[in-house]
Amino acid sequence: MIRHTLKTLIGCMLLIVLFAGQISAQVIRKNIDSLTAVELATYEHAIQLLKDRSAENPYDLQGYAWQAWVHNKNRVTIPAQNTMKQGDMIPTEFYKKAAQEVYADGTYGYPGMCEHGKDIFFIWHRAQFYYYEQILQNTDPEGTIVDSKGNKYPTKNLGIPFWNFTRKASGKKFPKIFEDQNSVLYHPGRNIEIDPKDTSFTSPYLLSNLLQSDYWAVFGGYPNATNGGYGTFESQIHNPMHDKFIGGDMASPSTAAYDPIFYSFHAYIDYVFEAWMEQHGKEKITSLNYFLRAQQPEQFHLPNHNPGLGDRPNMGQANLYLDISKLGYKYQVRGKDRFYNAAEIAQFLTDSKGRPLVLGVSNESPYYKLFTYGVQRKPESDIGELTQQTLTIDAVNPEVPYIYTYTESQPTTSYQVDIYMHPVNVKAKIKSKKFREKYFVRSANAWLDEMHGDHIMGGHKLNVDLTEAINALNQNFSGEEYQITVNYTKQ
Amino acid sequence: MSVYFDPDIKAIFAPYVQLMLQVSIATDQGVFSLDLSNYESVCRLSQRIKIAIEGYKPESKTAHPMPPRKSNGDDNPLPDEQIDMYNQWLKDGMPESEGAEAFSGPIV
């Protein structure tokens, strides 16, 4: 009896130890505004150490410059012996200079090419962040290394904090710490204009509504093999946050990751990806056998990493990155970080008398309310280039969605399309607020820059799913002639 | 008239070799460089090149066309006859030169 009890006790203790080990192996990614002072200082310390490494050698794979290049730079020349030092240079200018330097004795390195406008957008960034987080954790695991600002904190349990950009910022526009000029998280050049009455730029209702979509391609992007196409999250939320709201280095794919806010912005996007999978499962996600291009420190490759047949470095196949427990992190979300459910969205999409907003009938389109309510974001009131096409309203099978596709050859700057659906006998008056409010259905944004040549053969198509809007119109206007008016504006 | 990689296709792509070497092409087989002067590299990525260069055709929904924009910012499309020649080469089985064995590796 005693022996049996002892065995049970030992078994239980073993289980507890194993369980505790499993938990401690998963760091927690928290809202940056809910970090304790020490947690925040630890994050700053780790980033400072990365920057200190790059100041001594910008070609160090575990430095800040290289990790930014993973997103920004296809190819650099690495000298046999580095002599470039940052000295008094502004860090970003130093990184840009180092990226362009050519050495006679050098060899090529291939930091990375971000994946955008296709179905591996979410998973590529997740892989990038897996390595970045591992590097941060290993900068000073036990808190024994003093950074150039004189600090030391143990970094082994560090998780990348996220910025929930759909909620009112703790600072004037961004989380307070990103506006603190004494912090390593501060980055000059961001667009700091905001109307104080607006809570944010992106509505939490819009994001929650997009998350309801069960169709992976619509939400997450179109298959790589068919030359891609933006999903709704990327074109309606991610892209305009980069080029319209944050600005500065974040406005361009070629410089975005130089700004430390990039990492907290995308950590939240990774949480959105996780939330979509929790709601809809992983089975529908496409291109999971694709290899994710980037040159990362080999010691952090996942156990099943397989480089494939190609001659360029990579982070392995996309399917390695589906399960975050195997990547060593989880999210802690509280209160306002949760998403609205379908009932809450339906309740929100009502007029002042509590009646549901009906597209084409109510004075306010439900999509207009989703996009604009309480936030800075509005459809453009200036007329750019208008294109129009006529459509007879009829039911659309969601399995074969109605996609409006916009593309242009070799675009060099970001652009936006605002889409309106209105009866053919109603003139498109973009400058009229009444028109915009009543007939607005979608806004989508392509995030591009002049270095776009570096992204050649990467795929760029702005796909806008109009299925839901057409089916909403079909309830009251079946068989009627409608016009789709697209207002194209450069950003 | 038969179309061969060397000299026909190689000549079309010659101006773009250096720039395209910067690009890494992600596929479900691995990540590859694109060396437009190399027969095997072009054959391996032949379908992706086709999508890219056809992006200039008016009816095409494909963006990201190759070759890239000129340094002065002007568009730099391949002329239709060169795109047609490339497509003919694909149709002919991608011969390297007269009498040479055809490419037998994977197309990714």
Side-chain angles (χ1 to χ4, degrees):
Chain A
M1 179 69 183
I2 291 174
R3 184 180 287 176
H4 177 75
T5 308
L6 201 62
K7 264 185 172 176
T8 310
L9 196 64
I10 291 169
C12 286
M13 285 174 70
L14 199 62
L15 274 175
I16 289 167
V17 168
L18 283 174
F19 187 62
Q22 200 176 354
I23 294 293
S24 67
Q26 267 181 284
V27 301
I28 299 171
R29 292 186 182 177
K30 299 178 185 175
N31 188 317
I32 194 159
D33 288 321
S34 66
L35 295 185
T36 64
V38 171
E39 286 170 335
L40 193 54
T42 303
Y43 185 53
E44 289 176 298
H45 171 56
I47 291 185
Q48 188 60 58
L49 284 175
L50 257 60
K51 290 199 166 193
D52 292 350
R53 285 175 182 166
S54 292
E56 287 301 305
N57 178 8
Y59 308 102
D60 181 344
L61 268 62
Q62 297 191 51
Y64 193 85
W66 188 280
Q67 286 301 307
W69 293 341
V70 166
H71 189 272
N72 300 340
K73 194 72 190 162
N74 302 338
R75 188 175 78 173
V76 296
T77 313
I78 303 171
Q81 187 73 41
N82 176 58
T83 54
M84 274 193 90
K85 307 282 178 196
Q86 184 177 303
D88 294 334
M89 282 187 79
I90 295 167
T92 305
E93 294 309 312
F94 176 63
Y95 306 155
K96 288 176 183 172
K97 186 173 187 297
Q100 287 166 358
E101 209 70 25
V102 177
Y103 304 96
D105 65 348
T107 52
Y108 288 128
Y110 299 92
M113 286 176 73
C114 50
E115 295 283 13
H116 289 279
K118 62 189 72 153
D119 56 352
I120 54 175
F121 158 73
F122 279 107
I123 205 104
W124 185 90
H125 287 83
R126 173 171 282 190
Q128 176 195 15
F129 276 49
Y130 159 73
Y131 284 93
Y132 185 69
E133 195 165 63
Q134 293 296 314
I135 292 166
L136 288 174
Q137 288 167 7
N138 284 279
T139 48
D140 184 11
E142 305 302 331
T144 57
I145 302 169
V146 179
D147 66 36
S148 60
K149 287 195 173 169
N151 297 314
K152 56 177 183 176
Y153 295 93
T155 57
K156 63 185 173 192
N157 294 321
L158 189 158
I160 303 169
F162 64 81
W163 165 34
N164 180 350
F165 50 82
T166 68
R167 299 294 178 176
K168 189 166 178 58
S170 57
K172 284 181 183 159
K173 183 169 177 177
F174 307 108
K176 220 173 224 171
I177 190 66
F178 290 105
E179 295 177 356
D180 178 354
Q181 296 198 21
N182 295 316
S183 172
V184 71
L185 302 179
Y186 177 78
H187 193 76
R190 294 181 199 132
N191 168 17
I192 54 170
E193 287 174 23
I194 187 163
D195 187 331
K197 76 177 188 303
D198 294 324
T199 53
S200 65
F201 178 76
T202 300
S203 161
Y205 287 100
L206 172 65
L207 174 54
S208 300
N209 190 54
L210 295 183
L211 269 168
Q212 299 289 318
S213 176
D214 193 31
Y215 297 97
W216 168 249
V218 169
F219 178 77
Y222 293 80
N224 207 340
T226 61
N227 209 32
Y230 292 111
T232 52
F233 179 83
E234 200 179 351
S235 66
Q236 294 182 35
I237 292 183
H238 165 271
N239 293 355
M241 280 295 297
H242 266 286
D243 59 41
K244 284 179 79 100
F245 187 70
I246 306 171
D249 277 332
M250 281 283 278
S252 301
S254 307
T255 55
Y258 289 138
D259 185 341
I261 208 168
F262 170 86
Y263 298 95
S264 289
F265 172 60
H266 262 280
Y268 183 69
I269 289 172
D270 187 69
Y271 168 59
V272 171
F273 179 37
E274 193 62 17
W276 191 92
M277 287 191 285
E278 277 176 19
Q279 281 189 49
H280 306 289
K282 298 170 180 172
E283 298 73 23
K284 293 176 180 173
I285 298 175
T286 48
S287 300
L288 289 176
N289 53 354
Y290 265 68
F291 287 78
L292 305 173
R293 54 195 176 190
Q295 184 172 354
Q296 295 278 20
E298 290 179 11
Q299 67 264 42
F300 298 126
H301 283 341
L302 286 163
N304 296 333
H305 179 272
N306 155 24
L309 299 175
D311 56 345
R312 289 278 167 92
N314 61 74
M315 301 184 284
Q317 283 174 296
N319 55 29
L320 290 177
Y321 296 93
L322 280 178
D323 182 352
I324 61 172
S325 70
K326 291 180 181 165
L327 304 179
Y329 67 91
K330 60 183 176 181
Y331 286 97
Q332 179 189 84
V333 290
R334 290 175 178 161
K336 287 185 173 178
D337 291 328
R338 73 174 189 85
F339 301 106
Y340 295 116
N341 60 35
E344 289 168 318
I345 296 167
Q347 195 174 14
F348 168 74
L349 291 176
T350 54
D351 64 16
S352 57
K353 291 179 180 166
R355 296 172 301 200
L357 294 175
V358 180
L359 183 61
V361 175
S362 306
N363 286 333
E364 185 178 29
S365 145
Y367 303 106
Y368 188 86
K369 190 169 184 182
L370 278 173
F371 263 78
T372 64
Y373 185 80
V375 297
Q376 189 184 2
R377 191 171 184 192
K378 303 284 183 287
E380 288 292 336
S381 55
D382 291 333
I383 302 173
E385 289 172 32
L386 287 188
T387 54
Q388 295 185 309
Q389 64 187 69
T390 305
L391 170 80
T392 304
I393 299 298
D394 194 9
V396 177
N397 178 357
E399 297 288 346
V400 192
Y402 186 100
I403 307 290
Y404 172 84
T405 299
Y406 188 89
T407 187
E408 61 180 279
S409 65
Q410 302 200 352
T412 53
T413 54
S414 299
Y415 63 87
Q416 179 168 309
V417 291
D418 295 331
I419 301 180
Y420 301 86
M421 294 187 71
H422 53 98
V424 286
N425 60 355
V426 172
K427 200 175 171 200
K429 292 179 183 169
I430 303 298
K431 285 187 175 295
S432 157
K433 190 169 181 232
K434 273 188 177 174
F435 175 84
R436 296 196 305 272
E437 280 180 352
K438 183 160 185 173
Y439 297 114
F440 174 82
V441 292
R442 286 280 186 259
S443 178
N445 181 297
W447 182 50
L448 308 162
D449 69 23
E450 73 281 359
M451 292 298 289
H452 203 50
D454 279 2
H455 291 245
I456 289 159
M457 298 179 74
H460 152 251
K461 278 192 287 191
L462 196 53
N463 290 346
V464 187
D465 180 21
L466 297 179
T467 307
E468 191 184 283
I470 294 170
N471 283 337
L473 287 171
N474 192 50
Q475 292 183 12
N476 295 295
F477 306 103
S478 182
E480 293 190 22
E481 295 285 292
Y482 258 65
Q483 199 147 46
I484 301 174
T485 294
V486 179
N487 185 25
Y488 167 98
T489 46
K490 283 279 184 195
Q491 300 302 293
Chain B
M1 198 177 108
S2 298
V3 181
Y4 298 109
F5 180 75
D6 195 354
D8 307 312
I9 303 302
K10 206 172 175 178
I12 294 173
F13 291 149
Y16 318 112
V17 170
Q18 285 311 311
L19 197 137
M20 295 309 293
L21 274 171
Q22 293 184 25
V23 178
S24 297
I25 310 289
T27 77
D28 58 4
Q29 303 291 313
V31 179
F32 295 88
S33 59
L34 173 55
D35 182 350
L36 289 169
S37 67
N38 179 281
Y39 173 67
E40 303 223 327
S41 178
V42 172
C43 289
R44 187 188 301 123
L45 295 160
S46 53
Q47 288 305 312
R48 287 162 194 273
I49 296 170
K50 176 182 165 68
I51 290 171
I53 63 177
E54 286 191 336
Y56 281 104
K57 294 207 163 178
E59 73 277 12
S60 172
K61 286 281 189 188
T62 303
H64 266 277
M66 190 188 73
R69 188 173 285 259
K70 283 180 182 169
S71 55
N72 65 5
D74 290 346
D75 273 345
N76 190 29
L78 286 185
D80 278 0
E81 57 267 28
Q82 291 189 349
I83 298 174
D84 292 342
M85 185 184 280
Y86 180 81
N87 285 334
Q88 185 61 46
W89 177 67
L90 292 186
K91 206 179 279 179
D92 291 348
M94 302 188 292
E96 183 172 15
S97 56
E98 193 169 4
E101 279 188 30
F103 177 74
S104 59
I107 294 171
V108 296

